[in-house]
Amino acid sequence: VQLQASGGGLVPPGGSLRLSCAASGFSLDRYFIGWFRQTPGKEREGVSLINTADGSTYYADSVKGRFTISRDKNTIYLQMNSLKPEDTDRYYCAADRRPPKQEKLDNIATMTYYDMDYWGKGTLVTVSS
């Protein structure tokens, strides 16, 4: 099971980026795939999650209406629009067959590193003028 995140970069406030998470060695069917972000010195937190079994999606309150998670075959995307300086972080994608606890689904931002089994290396997003 391998996950490879890409697409990060430097973008001005108000700009857009699309992150990609390519899976290899397994099919993404019937997995929970999440995007997380982490600032040095802080805990990794959930940003968005997709249930590939039924397509349901979940978002942290801080990104609702700005970020969109989607899937195309064995790649998961995170379209990030109206980016803010506070979105600056290293972004990671992760996968797990098990559904998160309902309390986590109700508040994706409370998901952490320990809630997912498989992780890819991160991609850095910097929002700055």
Side-chain angles (χ1 to χ4, degrees), residues 82-97:
S82 302
L83 282 161
K84 304 175 181 180
E86 52 263 44
D87 294 318
T88 295
D89 262 323
R90 184 167 295 276
Y91 285 71
Y92 300 83
C93 60
D96 202 312
R97 276 202 175 276

Side-chain angles (χ1 to χ4, degrees), residues 40-115:
K42 294 188 177 180
E43 195 162 12
R44 198 167 295 185
E45 65 177 20
V47 173
S48 184
L49 187 79
I50 184 168
N51 178 356
T52 62
D54 62 12
S56 52
T57 57
Y58 307 84
Y59 297 94
D61 287 345
S62 60
V63 307
K64 277 180 184 175
R66 300 189 297 123
F67 290 11
T68 303
I69 191 170
S70 62
R71 176 195 178 189
D72 181 13
K73 297 179 182 178
N74 242 33
T75 301
I76 300 291
Y77 299 99
L78 186 69
Q79 178 66 43
M80 305 188 296
N81 298 330
S82 302
L83 282 161
K84 304 175 181 180
E86 52 263 44
D87 294 318
T88 295
D89 262 323
R90 184 167 295 276
Y91 285 71
Y92 300 83
C93 60
D96 202 312
R97 276 202 175 276
R98 304 164 300 169
K101 294 180 180 179
Q102 188 59 50
E103 61 198 50
K104 298 278 187 174
L105 290 177
D106 292 339
N107 188 356
I108 290 296
T110 63
M111 292 188 69
T112 68
Y113 174 85
Y114 302 100
D115 289 314

Side-chain angles (χ1 to χ4, degrees), residues 7-19 80-85 87-88 124-129:
L10 173 64
V11 62
S16 298
L17 278 177
R18 188 177 78 159
L19 305 184
M80 305 188 296
N81 298 330
S82 302
L83 282 161
K84 304 175 181 180
D87 294 318
T88 295
L124 181 62
V125 172
T126 303
V127 185
S128 174
S129 54

Side-chain angles (χ1 to χ4, degrees), residues 19-33:
L19 305 184
S20 301
C21 176
S24 59
F26 72 109
S27 168
L28 285 180
D29 291 342
R30 291 182 291 281
Y31 267 86
F32 287 83
I33 309 295

